[in-house]
Structures are given as structure tokens and as C-alpha cells.
């Protein structure tokens, strides 16, 4: 029943220890910085997040590359050649063409491996929200659920994965076209912090603003009370771009206010961090809706 592997990509920002524990295959996405191309592996073997964000603070900019069809095909075929089926849980199609590459490759491989099952699900998730979703699916796999059962669960539950972000520096959002230059200048002067989420189409959108860093972090915590489904019983996830103390503050507030016992904190990797810059805190939990 469980002769299948779950594949995802490194935008999921899962800790390497969990990748190993959950027996996941994680395809590393690429980023380019100072003229050199790096791969974003879960173990950060090519560049540690702290080094990445320090380079950003010093003025280096990063660009990212989605998975291409050939890379997607190679990752899936390596599993198929072992005689296993494949379930891909891919980075949101609203933010990357990675999922589309997996879908095209899956169509090609289905002809070569007609006896194997190959499924691709667009998670409509990003960063550790994608990681949380993959974590939940992998736990179902470990509990004995079939590949079809996990695929169906993923398609039915992806819009219950709540993503809430705030950033400390509007410059990187301006660079990515998320806010205007005028908004970035005025917002920086007035210490206005955006509060954003990933919507039902998998796009990152600004929902609200808060005055000051602490208020923006508290706004993330408030969202748990508004949206979370049984927060005390959940495993929640928090990612951060080199602002661990702020991430821990959010975790402590959630535990105190809602009784949540398990919260996993990890770094935002370079693929997502290229667009957020340092100082981003992102909270992920399961809710009634996004």
C-alpha cells in the first residue's frame, strides 16, 4: 500500500531533520547571487540562511529559478526506477512555474511507466506553509494511507492551510512589485508594516497594515484566534528570515493564548527570502479557511 514516495521542492523550507524523518524527496531550487548559482538544499550545504541574509544586508541581490521540466522529470524518474509510485506536492502555481514543470514531466513519464502511479498536486502553498502541508501528508503516508488517499486529502484540504506574513523592511516588497515606491518610502518613515497572506489562488497579497514591529507580530497571533481550527491540538509552523527572536515571540504568544503545544520554527530559505529580505516572520496553521 505504501510503495510510494512524496516529492516536494525546497521552497517548502522544512528542516533537514524532518525531511529525513518523513522520508521525503526534496528537489532543490536554484538561486543566483553575486553572479554565482547555488542550490537551496534542506541541509543548506551551499549557503546557510544567515550568510544569505547578511549578504542581502550588505547590498547583494538574489534572483531565483523555478524547477524546469527536465529537473522535475529526473527527480520523479529516479523514484519510478526504484519501482515506486510518485506523489508530488509542489510549490504554489500562483508564485512559481515549478508545479507546471512537474505536471508536464508527469505527463511524459506516464507514457514511459504505464504501470506506475504519478500524481501532482498544486499545494497553493509557499515556504513553511508548503512544508506544513507536506508534513501533514507525510504523516498520513506513515499512518498507512494509500497514495490515492493522500492525494485526495491534499486536494480537499489545501485551502485550509493558513499563511500569514509580515516583513520589517518594505524595500524587498517594492523590488518584487508588491508595494509601490511611494508606499515603501512613507511606510518606512512611519514604521508601517504590511500583514500579508497567501490567498485561495496561491498568490501573496497584502491584507492589512500595523504600526510598528510588535503590532505586526501580534497581528499574526490574532489570526490564530480568528481562523484556526482547534489551535491547541495543532502542530503549527513559523518561518523567519534571520529574526529568530521575533519568531520565538510569536510562538510564545500562541502557546500562552491558545494552548498550542507544538510549534516548529525554521529559517526561510533563499528562494523565498530573495523576495522577502531579512526580517520576515511567517506563521502557518490549519484553519476553517484561508
Amino acid at each position: 500500500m505504501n510503495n510510494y514516495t512524496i516529492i516536494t521542492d525546497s521552497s517548502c523550507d522544512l528542516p533537514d531533520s524532518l525531511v529525513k524523518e518523513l522520508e521525503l524527496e526534496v528537489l532543490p531550487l536554484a538561486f543566483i547571487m553575486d553572479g554565482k548559482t547555488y542550490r537551496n538544499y534542506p541541509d543548506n550545504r551551499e549557503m546557510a540562511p544567515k550568510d544569505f541574509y547578511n549578504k542581502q544586508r550588505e547590498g547583494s541581490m538574489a534572483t531565483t529559478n523555478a524547477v524546469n521540466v527536465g529537473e522535475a522529470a529526473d527527480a520523479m524518474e529516479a523514484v519510478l526506477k526504484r519501482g515506486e509510485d510518485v506523489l508530488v506536492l509542489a510549490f504554489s502555481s500562483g508564485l512559481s512555474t515549478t508545479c507546471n514543470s512537474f505536471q508536464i514531466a508527469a505527463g511524459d513519464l506516464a507514457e514511459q511507466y504505464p504501470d506506475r502511479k504519478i500524481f501532482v498536486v498544486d499545494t497553493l502553498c509557499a515556504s513553511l506553509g508548503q512544508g506544513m502541508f507536506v508534513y501533514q501528508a507525510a504523516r498520513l503516508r506513515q499512518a498507512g494511507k494509500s497514495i490515492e488517499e493522500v492525494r485526495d486529502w491534499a486536494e480537499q484540504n489545501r485551502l485550509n492551510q493558513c499563511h500569514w506574513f509580515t516583513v520589517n523592511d518594505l524595500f524587498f516588497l517594492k523590488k518584487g512589485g508588491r508595494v509601490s515606491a511611494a508606499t515603501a518610502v512613507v511606510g518606512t518613515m512611519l514604521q508601517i508594516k504590511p500583514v500579508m497572506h497567501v490567498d485561495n489562488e496561491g498568490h501573496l497579497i497584502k491584507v492589512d497594515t500595523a504600526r510598528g514591529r510588535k503590532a505586526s507580530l501580534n497581528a499574526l497571533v490574532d489570526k490564530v484566534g480568528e481562523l484556526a481550527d482547534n489551535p491547541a491540538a495543532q502542530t503549527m509552523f513559523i518561518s523567519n528570515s534571520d529574526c529568530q527572536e521575533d519568531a520565538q515571540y510569536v510562538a510564545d504568544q500562541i502557546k500562552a493564548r491558545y494552548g498550542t503545544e507544538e510549534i516548529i520554527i525554521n529559517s526561510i530559505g533563499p528562494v523565498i527570502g530573495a523576495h522577502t529580505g531579512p526580517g520576515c516572520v511567517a506563521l502557518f496553521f490549519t484553519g476553517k479557511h484561508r
Side-chain angles (χ1 to χ4, degrees):
M1 179 181 287
N2 273 323
N3 192 32
Y4 66 96
T5 291
I6 295 175
I7 297 177
T8 191
D9 49 81
S10 62
S11 58
C12 69
D13 289 337
L14 279 169
D16 189 52
S17 58
L18 264 184
V19 170
K20 290 183 170 65
E21 179 186 333
L22 299 172
E23 300 177 294
L24 300 168
E25 297 280 350
V26 179
L27 184 57
L29 299 177
F31 64 98
I32 301 95
M33 195 170 218
D34 298 329
K36 184 177 178 181
T37 299
Y38 300 86
R39 291 284 175 181
N40 174 210
Y41 290 93
D43 62 4
N44 303 309
R45 69 187 72 165
E46 295 196 359
M47 186 183 292
K50 192 165 197 67
D51 294 337
F52 176 82
Y53 293 114
N54 282 338
K55 285 178 177 289
Q56 283 189 321
R57 292 186 182 100
E58 293 165 359
S60 294
M61 302 302 296
T63 57
T64 60
N65 288 338
V67 168
N68 62 43
V69 174
E71 292 169 329
D74 288 346
M76 289 189 288
E77 190 165 24
V79 175
L80 296 169
K81 284 181 174 178
R82 299 199 300 256
E84 298 178 17
D85 298 327
V86 173
L87 173 61
V88 177
L89 300 175
F91 188 15
S92 171
S93 63
L95 295 169
S96 171
T97 60
T98 291
C99 184
N100 186 57
S101 293
F102 273 115
Q103 289 168 335
I104 293 170
D108 294 339
L109 289 168
E111 297 179 5
Q112 300 176 44
Y113 296 87
D115 297 329
R116 299 259 62 87
K117 298 171 185 175
I118 308 171
F119 301 128
V120 178
V121 175
D122 180 357
T123 66
L124 301 172
C125 295
S127 188
L128 205 47
Q130 178 184 341
M132 177 179 70
F133 193 48
V134 172
Y135 168 89
Q136 293 170 351
R139 290 298 191 208
L140 291 175
R141 177 189 173 278
Q142 290 181 328
K145 298 297 184 182
S146 70
I147 188 171
E148 291 89 354
E149 288 174 315
V150 177
R151 176 204 59 193
D152 293 347
W153 172 88
E155 291 177 344
Q156 293 163 8
N157 288 274
R158 57 190 171 183
L159 296 184
N160 298 104
Q161 310 302 309
C162 299
H163 298 53
W164 289 93
F165 299 76
T166 190
V167 298
N168 205 33
D169 186 342
L170 293 170
F171 170 74
F172 291 92
L173 291 181
K174 178 182 77 69
K175 176 179 173 289
R178 300 293 177 186
V179 299
S180 68
T183 298
V185 171
V186 174
T188 299
M189 290 173 58
L190 298 178
Q191 286 293 297
I192 300 298
K193 309 298 182 184
V195 178
M196 303 166 289
H197 89 134
V198 174
D199 66 13
N200 285 353
E201 285 73 49
H203 301 112
L204 179 63
I205 61 170
K206 183 166 79 73
V207 175
D208 204 350
T209 56
R211 187 75 176 268
R213 178 66 162 178
K214 187 62 66 72
S216 70
L217 298 176
N218 288 332
L220 302 185
V221 179
D222 291 342
K223 292 299 177 184
V224 175
E226 293 174 27
L227 297 168
D229 184 14
N230 194 5
Q234 288 192 41
T235 298
M236 296 189 188
F237 288 70
I238 300 173
S239 58
N240 72 96
S241 50
D242 202 25
C243 50
Q244 181 74 14
E245 289 184 4
D246 288 342
Q248 189 61 55
Y249 170 82
V250 171
D252 291 343
Q253 291 297 308
I254 290 170
K255 289 178 179 180
R257 287 173 59 178
Y258 306 110
T260 307
E261 294 185 1
E262 186 171 12
I263 300 177
I264 294 171
I265 300 176
N266 199 39
S267 294
I268 295 173
V271 171
I272 303 296
H275 306 285
T276 67
C280 177
V281 176
L283 169 64
F284 310 98
F285 56 90
T286 301
K288 303 173 183 69
H289 56 81
R290 287 200 173 185

